[in-house]
Amino acid sequence: MAGSGADGGGKGGGTGGGTGDRKGKDGRDGRHANDPETGAGGGKRLKRSLYETELRRLQAELVKLQEWVRAERTRIVVVFEGRDAAGKGSTIKRVTEFLNPRIARIVALPAPTEREQTEWYFQRYIEHLPAAGQIVLFDRSWYNRAGVERVMGFCTKEEYGRFLHQCPLLERMLVEDGILLRKYWFSVSDEEQQLRFRSRLEDPMRRWKLSPMDLDSISRWEDYSRSKDEMFVHTDIPEAPWYVVESDDKRSARINMIAHLLSTIPYQDVQRLPLVLPPRPPSKGYVRMPKGMQTHVPDHAAGLRPD
């Protein structure tokens, strides 16, 4: 079952297999027996104190993973997909918060240019794949074709069919070449999505996260659901399975996704050479340039201090 193939596998756990034919108690695919998208999900929100403690521990493990990737010259690709406002971006922020941006890169591509529209569909994504010793996190990916492009009519039926045929072939080639590919689908209920959209609409600091296309997804909820289901049928393959992250509770979603990612990669703690801070040498007569000869940023903070 793709949603749990590597859970509990520890650091050396594998990626698990494909979806198979197993069913949940309600008769649906077992992965979705409690899927918020069907209205059957829920649960209590993770307490902030527990969340912050576990997040800090997991982020420390991510730093170890990063050092292992650098030392072993491993290549990792993590794909983040899901509904609008499902929590992909906030999870990516927590994953990369303490990582070296030279090793862990976020790829969030804009709409294709006129030239890119004439290229092979996967071409602009391939140029962002990692080199040795790098981690690439795709904040949406080539799966745009199976989601927004298909639902909004931005691609033809022929282009969509070609994508479903070529995508598994491409991903098998990536895995065969040694790339560790992980794909996460963030699942959110329609009620929770509506609340998050409203929160963004009313918050001037987060209003930029909301676009007319996001709002249009409300009226196309079932279209996106059908598109996602069909995409899973074709692309949930043993070599690169989909892992579903229940994200009505963002804190739990972040913890679950990071813990699972770590469980599927056989990283080890890399011993680094101990560093010792050297003593500062005595002055050799250097005189600092007078402040009046430089242009300084105004002291805005001074106006915030009490008299």
Side-chain angles (χ1 to χ4, degrees), residues 42-48 50-51 248-252 254:
K44 294 182 179 179
R45 190 180 187 190
L46 184 64
K47 291 183 178 180
R48 179 176 292 278
L50 297 176
Y51 161 72
D248 270 19
D249 177 2
K250 283 189 175 183
R251 295 174 186 169
S252 294
R254 296 164 188 162

Side-chain angles (χ1 to χ4, degrees), residues 29-285:
D29 183 335
R31 284 170 304 177
H32 306 295
N34 294 302
D35 191 343
E37 292 187 8
T38 65
K44 294 182 179 179
R45 190 180 187 190
L46 184 64
K47 291 183 178 180
R48 179 176 292 278
S49 58
L50 297 176
Y51 161 72
E52 291 179 346
T53 299
E54 181 62 6
L55 177 63
R56 188 76 176 188
R57 186 189 72 82
L58 291 173
Q59 288 176 326
E61 291 299 316
L62 286 169
V63 173
K64 294 180 184 179
L65 170 65
Q66 170 188 257
E67 291 305 303
W68 175 81
V69 166
R70 179 190 58 79
E72 297 295 325
R73 297 177 62 78
T74 305
R75 293 171 294 165
I76 297 178
V77 171
V78 186
V79 169
F80 292 80
E81 292 287 347
R83 298 279 188 175
D84 295 319
K88 300 179 296 298
S90 62
T91 302
I92 292 173
K93 286 182 180 180
R94 272 63 179 190
V95 170
T96 60
E97 186 173 1
F98 297 103
L99 301 185
N100 184 342
R102 293 184 178 87
I103 295 177
R105 292 187 291 112
I106 301 172
V107 175
L109 299 184
T113 64
E114 185 175 347
R115 173 188 171 84
E116 288 172 335
Q117 291 176 21
T118 68
E119 298 173 345
W120 178 44
Y121 176 71
F122 296 98
Q123 188 167 331
R124 73 189 191 120
Y125 294 101
I126 286 177
E127 65 178 287
H128 294 282
L129 291 175
Q134 290 186 338
I135 303 170
V136 171
L137 302 97
F138 280 95
D139 186 354
R140 295 203 180 276
S141 65
W142 46 86
Y143 283 101
N144 275 337
R145 175 136 295 177
V148 64
E149 289 193 18
R150 192 251 178 127
V151 173
M152 301 301 294
F154 296 156
C155 66
T156 66
K157 290 182 179 179
E158 291 75 19
E159 289 171 332
Y160 174 67
R162 192 179 308 125
F163 169 84
L164 292 181
H165 171 70
Q166 292 183 349
C167 183
L169 299 176
L170 172 68
E171 293 182 353
R172 287 188 180 101
M173 285 191 289
L174 297 180
V175 173
E176 183 180 310
D177 201 60
I179 290 178
L180 302 181
L181 175 61
R182 302 293 182 266
K183 304 185 305 190
Y184 291 96
W185 177 271
F186 283 70
S187 175
V188 64
S189 67
D190 50 355
E191 296 91 346
E192 180 63 24
Q193 185 191 56
Q194 190 85 357
L195 290 173
R196 293 177 186 176
F197 279 166
R198 185 173 301 281
S199 175
R200 292 179 179 184
L201 189 63
E202 297 172 352
D203 185 351
M205 302 296 286
R206 300 166 66 241
R207 176 65 178 79
W208 63 270
K209 289 188 172 185
L210 202 58
S211 70
M213 193 172 298
D214 292 332
L215 298 180
D216 194 40
S217 68
I218 296 176
S219 60
R220 297 176 183 267
W221 180 270
E222 290 191 1
D223 293 335
Y224 275 102
S225 294
R226 294 188 183 95
S227 180
K228 182 261 293 184
D229 291 344
E230 185 173 5
M231 177 188 78
F232 269 43
V233 168
H234 289 85
T235 63
D236 191 6
I237 58 178
E239 298 86 349
W242 277 104
Y243 297 105
V244 177
V245 181
E246 307 290 6
S247 63
D248 270 19
D249 177 2
K250 283 189 175 183
R251 295 174 186 169
S252 294
R254 296 164 188 162
I255 293 296
N256 293 339
M257 180 269 150
I258 297 173
H260 181 269
L261 174 64
L262 291 167
S263 78
T264 69
I265 299 175
Y267 72 98
Q268 297 176 351
D269 195 358
V270 176
Q271 296 298 320
R272 306 186 69 178
L273 294 175
L275 300 177
V276 178
L277 193 65
R280 188 170 296 278
S283 173
K284 296 181 180 180

